[in-house]
Amino acid sequence: DAKTTQPNSMESNEEEPVHLPCNHSTISGTDYIHWYRQLPSQGPEYVIHGLTSNVNNRMASLAIAEDRKSSTLILHRATLRDAAVYYCIHWRAGNMLTFGGGTRLMVKP
Amino acid sequence: DARVTQTPRDKVTEMGQEVTMRCQPILGHNTVFWYRQTMMQGLELLAYFRNRAPLDDSGMPKDRFSAEMPDATLATLKIQPSEPRDSAVYFCASGFFSSAQDTQYFGPGTRLTVL
């Protein structure tokens, strides 16, 4: 099973950066690291993914440790709309996405 | 913006009744997934299809659940007979799923309450 470990919850102030950590010590060389988030009353949505190098897109940045056993999702300026449950997943083609408990991010105005 | 659509959005039914949930995947996507989400179990994969063929339904209670894709634009999840423990939000997702870089696009879900 592709297991990840994330804190149950985190809190941030609006317009401050947020660093969401994830441990994936069982990751193998061909596994990609994906992050999804689930806003209240919605289905999960894709945020970002990467293999080894750090990645940036319009939503977030993904920093991957050199040994790939951990990663950090970075929201550069949290807004109230970023309050969601964030899921970190590692998987390879042919396997299924296994969602863990995720981190509930609360953003304070 | 192409989206996955699901109907109904909310369903309240009585124990023993048949429930059918429908999903329209994004046009062109060849893989469709059904998930169930509860507070206790989180998000669980029930079944998935590729090119309309069922590939894995090991997450699904076989005696009462069935999933089908009658055509490329429609996936259905049926529960017969429904039980109170089936109360959950059911999500459909679609994607290409040919490499580990592919992403899944989720629908808004069907909230099922079985009384």
Side-chain angles (χ1 to χ4, degrees), chain A residues 8-102:
Chain A
N8 287 337
S9 63
M10 291 184 65
E11 210 169 75
S12 169
N13 292 319
E14 197 176 11
E15 301 203 356
E16 288 186 358
V18 181
H19 291 232
L20 297 163
C22 179
N23 287 321
H24 27 78
S25 56
T26 61
I27 196 169
S28 73
T30 55
D31 289 2
Y32 276 78
I33 299 155
H34 288 247
W35 283 79
Y36 282 71
R37 73 178 185 180
Q38 187 171 18
L39 302 171
S41 301
Q42 295 189 29
E45 64 176 353
Y46 166 79
V47 178
I48 200 168
H49 76 277
L51 183 62
T52 56
S53 306
N54 294 345
V55 184
N56 300 297
N57 68 20
R58 63 176 179 81
M59 289 180 74
S61 296
L62 176 60
I64 301 171
E66 200 169 326
D67 64 5
R68 302 205 330 121
K69 293 189 184 304
S70 66
S71 62
T72 302
L73 180 72
I74 302 164
L75 307 179
H76 294 285
R77 286 182 67 205
T79 69
L80 297 178
R81 293 183 57 177
D82 291 323
V85 178
Y86 287 79
Y87 298 97
C88 163
I89 305 145
H90 65 89
W91 69 288
R92 68 189 75 109
N95 287 6
M96 290 299 105
L97 280 176
T98 302
F99 288 82

Side-chain angles (χ1 to χ4, degrees), chain B residues 22-88:
Chain B
R22 292 176 176 80
C23 166
Q24 183 171 9
I26 292 173
L27 193 64
H29 282 178
N30 66 352
T31 309
V32 174
F33 308 84
W34 282 105
Y35 290 87
R36 175 173 64 183
Q37 187 172 40
T38 62
M39 290 293 291
M40 293 299 294
Q41 299 296 327
L43 204 56
E44 306 172 277
L45 178 68
L46 296 176
Y48 77 101
F49 294 75
R50 180 168 298 156
N51 298 321
R52 296 176 53 203
L55 285 194
D56 189 339
D57 61 1
S58 57
M60 215 162 63
K62 302 286 193 308
D63 55 340
R64 297 182 301 108
F65 284 59
S66 62
E68 294 179 347
M69 274 202 79
D71 63 60
T73 65
L74 177 65
T76 61
L77 180 66
K78 191 175 294 187
I79 308 174
Q80 167 63 15
S82 57
E83 297 180 1
R85 58 181 167 150
D86 301 328
S87 297

